[in-house]
Amino acid sequence: MSEHFSGGDLKTAAKLVIFEEYLDVYTTILDSNWEWGDLWYVDTHAGTGKTHIDGQGIDIDGSAIRAIDQYEDFFDRFYLYELDEDHFHTLHQTLADRFGLKFDVSEANVTGEDFLVARSDDPYIRIMQMDSNEGVSFLANNAGTNAHWMTFIDPKGLTAKRSTLDTLLDRGNVDIILNYQTTGVMRSAAADHAHEAVRRTMGDDDWPEAGTNDEFVELYKKKLEENSDIRPVLTKSLVSPHDKRCRFDLIFACRNDGARSAMEDIMNQDSLWDKAQDEMGQSGLGDFL
Ligand SMILES: C[S@@+](CC[C@H](N)C(=O)[O-])C[C@H]1O[C@@H](n2cnc3c(N)ncnc32)[C@H](O)[C@@H]1O
């Protein structure tokens, strides 16, 4: 059994294809145009480094590995958050093995706080074992606004709070790719006991208990677009061909028209699912053709 985060399937690979292709656009645009400060990569749900693809016996590289592998020279800092302690340790060990790094792992030296940090200084990586809603809000409120952030918000379940999104958008100088848990939100809205999770995700009580997937995505997009600088917010529905019961949507927010247009092309390319299958290797093909 893999030690890595499990539950991946073809749409996980499609998500990572879009994520990595957008990193290329982001670093190309920002590297030559961002003259006010650093570029930071912020990953709020960093996982274990890889995702285990159920039923295929393979682990595919996750967001943090892809960002560091291809774009180490572009980002001045990498901030990775992972709440689960086992995942946190797997993550720093996986990155250490993959990139030949040595992490210094210790308790954070912050009064009143109790969490682990794994530190590497070259490249500058900080992995924090904590709830990223708190961690990223703290970073946004205390680290100044000169650095431009590429932020990936990739929860499984309803753990990314709308208030965290608002904090990031209020800070500005940020591009955001968020994995919106469409089916999870829709099902939770239909179950009384799960309404608090929907409220956290949507940011208020203004949503239907019996909405469709499309309605929930549209509503979320509209709520984010209340921040006028980032209109239009882009969305891309991802559903695996072999399991249509579970859908998530990638949500993309940024202020740059050129970047938005490039992301639109990436999200809507004809070859997305072929590329996702390539990510899974030959073993993935038989199940999906
Ligand atoms: C879908 S996985 C992330 C996959 C990763 N982005 C990748 O591509 O490899 C979600 C991870 O978020 C972690 N997590 C859940 N809630 C969290 C929170 N509030 N703050 C930080 N991490 C959290 C889980 O433990 C899990 O490892």
Side-chain angles (χ1 to χ4, degrees):
M1 186 56 201
S2 167
E3 59 181 335
H4 287 289
F5 183 81
S6 64
D9 63 9
L10 196 63
K11 67 181 179 309
T12 311
K15 166 188 78 179
L16 289 165
V17 167
I18 292 174
F19 165 78
E20 193 168 342
E21 290 190 1
Y22 184 71
L23 279 187
D24 194 34
V25 171
Y26 177 90
T27 50
T28 302
I29 293 178
L30 273 290
D31 194 44
S32 48
N33 292 312
W34 189 253
E35 56 199 50
W36 295 275
D38 284 355
L39 298 180
W40 292 1
Y41 173 77
V42 179
D43 197 325
T44 63
H45 294 70
T48 57
K50 299 183 179 209
T51 294
H52 186 69
I53 304 298
D54 289 349
Q56 304 291 312
I58 54 167
D59 298 327
I60 60 172
D61 289 348
S63 48
I65 285 188
R66 288 168 197 254
I68 296 166
D69 191 29
Q70 298 289 326
Y71 304 103
E72 179 187 329
D73 293 340
F74 290 89
F75 288 108
D76 298 283
R77 295 184 180 199
F78 294 84
Y79 286 97
L80 315 177
Y81 295 87
E82 173 51 53
L83 181 57
D84 181 280
E85 187 169 344
D86 288 340
H87 290 185
F88 164 86
H89 288 301
T90 305
L91 177 60
H92 68 72
Q93 283 156 8
T94 301
L95 296 182
D97 289 349
R98 174 67 171 257
F99 299 112
L101 301 175
K102 186 154 173 29
F103 283 94
D104 170 26
V105 182
S106 60
E107 289 284 339
N109 202 4
V110 181
T111 317
E113 299 288 343
D114 180 20
F115 61 91
L116 290 168
V117 187
R119 298 178 176 82
S120 149
D121 286 334
D122 186 18
Y124 186 104
I125 303 173
R126 295 290 180 271
I127 311 176
M128 262 116 10
Q129 189 246 318
M130 67 185 304
D131 182 344
S132 58
N133 291 292
E134 292 168 27
V136 163
S137 299
F138 180 85
L139 198 64
N141 290 325
N142 292 282
T145 53
N146 284 351
H148 200 287
W149 295 9
M150 174 65 229
T151 303
F152 189 41
I153 303 176
D154 185 25
K156 178 156 185 156
L158 309 191
T159 59
K161 295 182 185 171
R162 161 88 184 284
S163 56
T164 306
L165 263 285
D166 287 343
T167 302
L168 287 167
L169 293 171
D170 285 348
R171 173 193 179 271
N173 298 340
V174 62
D175 284 13
I176 298 174
I177 301 178
L178 175 135
N179 179 351
Y180 181 71
Q181 304 286 292
T182 317
T183 310
V185 174
M186 186 193 71
R187 288 190 186 143
S188 299
D192 286 353
H193 69 273
H195 280 184
E196 184 49 39
V198 181
R199 198 170 291 127
R200 254 195 337 254
T201 304
M202 301 299 279
D204 54 34
D205 285 316
D206 184 18
W207 36 269
E209 289 187 13
T212 64
N213 279 324
D214 286 344
E215 283 167 346
F216 273 104
V217 174
E218 194 52 32
L219 196 55
Y220 191 69
K221 167 181 156 75
K222 289 231 159 58
K223 287 177 191 296
L224 295 187
E225 284 177 343
E226 285 165 12
N227 184 322
S228 60
D229 292 359
I230 54 159
R231 287 183 208 141
V233 165
L234 303 182
T235 70
K236 169 73 180 172
S237 158
L238 291 177
V239 178
S240 285
H242 69 299
D243 182 6
K244 298 197 162 49
R245 291 168 304 174
C246 180
R247 159 176 168 179
F248 58 67
D249 285 71
L250 285 189
I251 308 267
F252 175 70
C254 91
R255 289 181 171 79
N256 181 294
D257 290 338
R260 188 183 298 109
S261 156
M263 181 54 131
E264 203 158 18
D265 291 344
I266 291 170
M267 285 176 156
N268 296 320
Q269 63 184 299
D270 292 337
S271 46
L272 178 63
W273 293 102
D274 288 340
K275 289 179 181 173
Q277 283 178 345
D278 288 347
E279 291 280 331
M280 314 267 281
Q282 287 304 311
S283 63
L285 288 175
D287 283 2
F288 303 121
L289 289 175

PDB file of all heavy atoms in Angstrom, residues 1-6 48 50 52 59 86-87 89-91 93-94 97:
ATOM      1  N   MET A   1       0.844  -1.204   0.000  1.00  0.00           N
ATOM      2  CA  MET A   1       0.000   0.000   0.000  1.00  0.00           C
ATOM      3  C   MET A   1       0.884   1.261   0.000  1.00  0.00           C
ATOM      4  O   MET A   1       1.844   1.346   0.744  1.00  0.00           O
ATOM      5  CB  MET A   1      -0.900  -0.040   1.244  1.00  0.00           C
ATOM      6  CG  MET A   1      -1.948   1.063   1.338  1.00  0.00           C
ATOM      7  SD  MET A   1      -3.025   1.117  -0.113  1.00  0.00           S
ATOM      8  CE  MET A   1      -3.627   2.787   0.002  1.00  0.00           C
ATOM      9  N   SER A   2       0.543   2.205  -0.845  1.00  0.00           N
ATOM     10  CA  SER A   2       1.331   3.439  -0.921  1.00  0.00           C
ATOM     11  C   SER A   2       1.181   4.248   0.353  1.00  0.00           C
ATOM     12  O   SER A   2       0.128   4.267   0.976  1.00  0.00           O
ATOM     13  CB  SER A   2       0.835   4.267  -2.105  1.00  0.00           C
ATOM     14  OG  SER A   2       1.355   5.559  -2.046  1.00  0.00           O
ATOM     15  N   GLU A   3       2.253   4.969   0.719  1.00  0.00           N
ATOM     16  CA  GLU A   3       2.164   5.858   1.888  1.00  0.00           C
ATOM     17  C   GLU A   3       1.584   7.209   1.476  1.00  0.00           C
ATOM     18  O   GLU A   3       1.382   8.097   2.299  1.00  0.00           O
ATOM     19  CB  GLU A   3       3.554   6.055   2.475  1.00  0.00           C
ATOM     20  CG  GLU A   3       4.491   6.652   1.445  1.00  0.00           C
ATOM     21  CD  GLU A   3       5.917   6.858   1.930  1.00  0.00           C
ATOM     22  OE1 GLU A   3       6.132   6.994   3.127  1.00  0.00           O
ATOM     23  OE2 GLU A   3       6.797   6.885   1.071  1.00  0.00           O
ATOM     24  N   HIS A   4       1.367   7.375   0.176  1.00  0.00           N
ATOM     25  CA  HIS A   4       0.947   8.687  -0.320  1.00  0.00           C
ATOM     26  C   HIS A   4      -0.559   8.876  -0.240  1.00  0.00           C
ATOM     27  O   HIS A   4      -1.322   7.915  -0.123  1.00  0.00           O
ATOM     28  CB  HIS A   4       1.458   8.897  -1.749  1.00  0.00           C
ATOM     29  CG  HIS A   4       2.933   9.149  -1.780  1.00  0.00           C
ATOM     30  ND1 HIS A   4       3.475  10.330  -1.329  1.00  0.00           N
ATOM     31  CD2 HIS A   4       3.968   8.371  -2.151  1.00  0.00           C
ATOM     32  CE1 HIS A   4       4.791  10.276  -1.440  1.00  0.00           C
ATOM     33  NE2 HIS A   4       5.117   9.087  -1.931  1.00  0.00           N
ATOM     34  N   PHE A   5      -0.945  10.144  -0.331  1.00  0.00           N
ATOM     35  CA  PHE A   5      -2.353  10.512  -0.335  1.00  0.00           C
ATOM     36  C   PHE A   5      -3.071   9.677  -1.390  1.00  0.00           C
ATOM     37  O   PHE A   5      -2.629   9.597  -2.527  1.00  0.00           O
ATOM     38  CB  PHE A   5      -2.472  12.007  -0.666  1.00  0.00           C
ATOM     39  CG  PHE A   5      -3.868  12.508  -0.620  1.00  0.00           C
ATOM     40  CD1 PHE A   5      -4.467  12.833   0.583  1.00  0.00           C
ATOM     41  CD2 PHE A   5      -4.600  12.641  -1.785  1.00  0.00           C
ATOM     42  CE1 PHE A   5      -5.772  13.288   0.624  1.00  0.00           C
ATOM     43  CE2 PHE A   5      -5.907  13.095  -1.765  1.00  0.00           C
ATOM     44  CZ  PHE A   5      -6.492  13.418  -0.547  1.00  0.00           C
ATOM     45  N   SER A   6      -4.183   9.068  -1.013  1.00  0.00           N
ATOM     46  CA  SER A   6      -4.844   8.173  -1.970  1.00  0.00           C
ATOM     47  C   SER A   6      -6.152   8.783  -2.455  1.00  0.00           C
ATOM     48  O   SER A   6      -6.607   9.802  -1.950  1.00  0.00           O
ATOM     49  CB  SER A   6      -5.098   6.814  -1.318  1.00  0.00           C
ATOM     50  OG  SER A   6      -6.000   6.995  -0.259  1.00  0.00           O
ATOM     51  N   THR A  48       1.130  14.802   0.321  1.00  0.00           N
ATOM     52  CA  THR A  48       2.321  14.021   0.692  1.00  0.00           C
ATOM     53  C   THR A  48       3.437  14.128  -0.342  1.00  0.00           C
ATOM     54  O   THR A  48       4.471  13.493  -0.218  1.00  0.00           O
ATOM     55  CB  THR A  48       1.938  12.525   0.819  1.00  0.00           C
ATOM     56  OG1 THR A  48       1.364  12.125  -0.430  1.00  0.00           O
ATOM     57  CG2 THR A  48       0.946  12.275   1.944  1.00  0.00           C
ATOM     58  N   LYS A  50       2.997  13.145  -3.524  1.00  0.00           N
ATOM     59  CA  LYS A  50       2.459  12.374  -4.658  1.00  0.00           C
ATOM     60  C   LYS A  50       1.035  11.960  -4.320  1.00  0.00           C
ATOM     61  O   LYS A  50       0.641  11.971  -3.149  1.00  0.00           O
ATOM     62  CB  LYS A  50       3.286  11.106  -4.910  1.00  0.00           C
ATOM     63  CG  LYS A  50       4.731  11.406  -5.244  1.00  0.00           C
ATOM     64  CD  LYS A  50       5.491  10.131  -5.558  1.00  0.00           C
ATOM     65  CE  LYS A  50       6.936  10.480  -5.904  1.00  0.00           C
ATOM     66  NZ  LYS A  50       7.541   9.530  -6.829  1.00  0.00           N
ATOM     67  N   HIS A  52      -1.643   8.717  -4.826  1.00  0.00           N
ATOM     68  CA  HIS A  52      -1.801   7.328  -5.249  1.00  0.00           C
ATOM     69  C   HIS A  52      -3.059   7.211  -6.103  1.00  0.00           C
ATOM     70  O   HIS A  52      -4.123   7.692  -5.732  1.00  0.00           O
ATOM     71  CB  HIS A  52      -1.924   6.426  -4.021  1.00  0.00           C
ATOM     72  CG  HIS A  52      -1.948   4.983  -4.368  1.00  0.00           C
ATOM     73  ND1 HIS A  52      -0.848   4.316  -4.856  1.00  0.00           N
ATOM     74  CD2 HIS A  52      -2.956   4.074  -4.353  1.00  0.00           C
ATOM     75  CE1 HIS A  52      -1.157   3.058  -5.093  1.00  0.00           C
ATOM     76  NE2 HIS A  52      -2.436   2.890  -4.802  1.00  0.00           N
ATOM     77  N   ASP A  59       1.845   6.049  -8.240  1.00  0.00           N
ATOM     78  CA  ASP A  59       1.796   7.344  -7.551  1.00  0.00           C
ATOM     79  C   ASP A  59       2.223   8.405  -8.558  1.00  0.00           C
ATOM     80  O   ASP A  59       3.279   8.269  -9.191  1.00  0.00           O
ATOM     81  CB  ASP A  59       2.793   7.369  -6.385  1.00  0.00           C
ATOM     82  CG  ASP A  59       2.490   6.322  -5.326  1.00  0.00           C
ATOM     83  OD1 ASP A  59       1.300   6.019  -5.103  1.00  0.00           O
ATOM     84  OD2 ASP A  59       3.450   5.799  -4.722  1.00  0.00           O
ATOM     85  N   ASP A  86       1.108  12.897   9.637  1.00  0.00           N
ATOM     86  CA  ASP A  86       1.752  11.842   8.821  1.00  0.00           C
ATOM     87  C   ASP A  86       2.025  12.354   7.409  1.00  0.00           C
ATOM     88  O   ASP A  86       3.096  12.108   6.834  1.00  0.00           O
ATOM     89  CB  ASP A  86       0.853  10.599   8.743  1.00  0.00           C
ATOM     90  CG  ASP A  86       0.811   9.863  10.075  1.00  0.00           C
ATOM     91  OD1 ASP A  86       1.722  10.081  10.898  1.00  0.00           O
ATOM     92  OD2 ASP A  86      -0.143   9.097  10.297  1.00  0.00           O
ATOM     93  N   HIS A  87       1.051  13.056   6.846  1.00  0.00           N
ATOM     94  CA  HIS A  87       1.250  13.604   5.491  1.00  0.00           C
ATOM     95  C   HIS A  87       2.409  14.604   5.480  1.00  0.00           C
ATOM     96  O   HIS A  87       3.214  14.634   4.545  1.00  0.00           O
ATOM     97  CB  HIS A  87      -0.038  14.300   4.999  1.00  0.00           C
ATOM     98  CG  HIS A  87      -1.158  13.354   4.691  1.00  0.00           C
ATOM     99  ND1 HIS A  87      -2.350  13.750   4.152  1.00  0.00           N
ATOM    100  CD2 HIS A  87      -1.253  12.004   4.839  1.00  0.00           C
ATOM    101  CE1 HIS A  87      -3.137  12.694   3.986  1.00  0.00           C
ATOM    102  NE2 HIS A  87      -2.495  11.631   4.405  1.00  0.00           N
ATOM    103  N   HIS A  89       5.066  14.645   7.382  1.00  0.00           N
ATOM    104  CA  HIS A  89       6.372  13.975   7.407  1.00  0.00           C
ATOM    105  C   HIS A  89       6.666  13.287   6.064  1.00  0.00           C
ATOM    106  O   HIS A  89       7.791  13.320   5.569  1.00  0.00           O
ATOM    107  CB  HIS A  89       6.437  12.968   8.556  1.00  0.00           C
ATOM    108  CG  HIS A  89       6.538  13.624   9.907  1.00  0.00           C
ATOM    109  ND1 HIS A  89       7.578  14.463  10.239  1.00  0.00           N
ATOM    110  CD2 HIS A  89       5.722  13.592  10.986  1.00  0.00           C
ATOM    111  CE1 HIS A  89       7.407  14.919  11.486  1.00  0.00           C
ATOM    112  NE2 HIS A  89       6.281  14.403  11.956  1.00  0.00           N
ATOM    113  N   THR A  90       5.626  12.679   5.474  1.00  0.00           N
ATOM    114  CA  THR A  90       5.844  12.049   4.157  1.00  0.00           C
ATOM    115  C   THR A  90       6.246  13.105   3.136  1.00  0.00           C
ATOM    116  O   THR A  90       7.118  12.873   2.289  1.00  0.00           O
ATOM    117  CB  THR A  90       4.560  11.313   3.687  1.00  0.00           C
ATOM    118  OG1 THR A  90       4.171  10.396   4.690  1.00  0.00           O
ATOM    119  CG2 THR A  90       4.803  10.559   2.384  1.00  0.00           C
ATOM    120  N   LEU A  91       5.618  14.276   3.243  1.00  0.00           N
ATOM    121  CA  LEU A  91       5.911  15.342   2.273  1.00  0.00           C
ATOM    122  C   LEU A  91       7.372  15.788   2.355  1.00  0.00           C
ATOM    123  O   LEU A  91       8.075  15.828   1.335  1.00  0.00           O
ATOM    124  CB  LEU A  91       4.968  16.530   2.519  1.00  0.00           C
ATOM    125  CG  LEU A  91       5.194  17.752   1.625  1.00  0.00           C
ATOM    126  CD1 LEU A  91       5.012  17.407   0.154  1.00  0.00           C
ATOM    127  CD2 LEU A  91       4.243  18.890   2.027  1.00  0.00           C
ATOM    128  N   GLN A  93       9.897  14.257   3.627  1.00  0.00           N
ATOM    129  CA  GLN A  93      10.815  13.156   3.263  1.00  0.00           C
ATOM    130  C   GLN A  93      10.817  12.928   1.743  1.00  0.00           C
ATOM    131  O   GLN A  93      11.857  12.687   1.131  1.00  0.00           O
ATOM    132  CB  GLN A  93      10.400  11.866   3.980  1.00  0.00           C
ATOM    133  CG  GLN A  93      10.835  11.879   5.448  1.00  0.00           C
ATOM    134  CD  GLN A  93       9.999  10.950   6.339  1.00  0.00           C
ATOM    135  OE1 GLN A  93       9.184  10.178   5.839  1.00  0.00           O
ATOM    136  NE2 GLN A  93      10.193  11.052   7.643  1.00  0.00           N
ATOM    137  N   THR A  94       9.636  13.042   1.141  1.00  0.00           N
ATOM    138  CA  THR A  94       9.532  12.836  -0.315  1.00  0.00           C
ATOM    139  C   THR A  94      10.294  13.928  -1.070  1.00  0.00           C
ATOM    140  O   THR A  94      11.019  13.654  -2.033  1.00  0.00           O
ATOM    141  CB  THR A  94       8.041  12.828  -0.740  1.00  0.00           C
ATOM    142  OG1 THR A  94       7.380  11.771  -0.041  1.00  0.00           O
ATOM    143  CG2 THR A  94       7.887  12.619  -2.243  1.00  0.00           C
ATOM    144  N   ASP A  97      14.085  13.387  -0.644  1.00  0.00           N
ATOM    145  CA  ASP A  97      14.590  12.309  -1.509  1.00  0.00           C
ATOM    146  C   ASP A  97      14.632  12.766  -2.967  1.00  0.00           C
ATOM    147  O   ASP A  97      15.618  12.542  -3.670  1.00  0.00           O
ATOM    148  CB  ASP A  97      13.676  11.072  -1.430  1.00  0.00           C
ATOM    149  CG  ASP A  97      13.813  10.390  -0.083  1.00  0.00           C
ATOM    150  OD1 ASP A  97      14.741  10.742   0.673  1.00  0.00           O
ATOM    151  OD2 ASP A  97      12.975   9.516   0.218  1.00  0.00           O
TER     152      ASP A  97
END
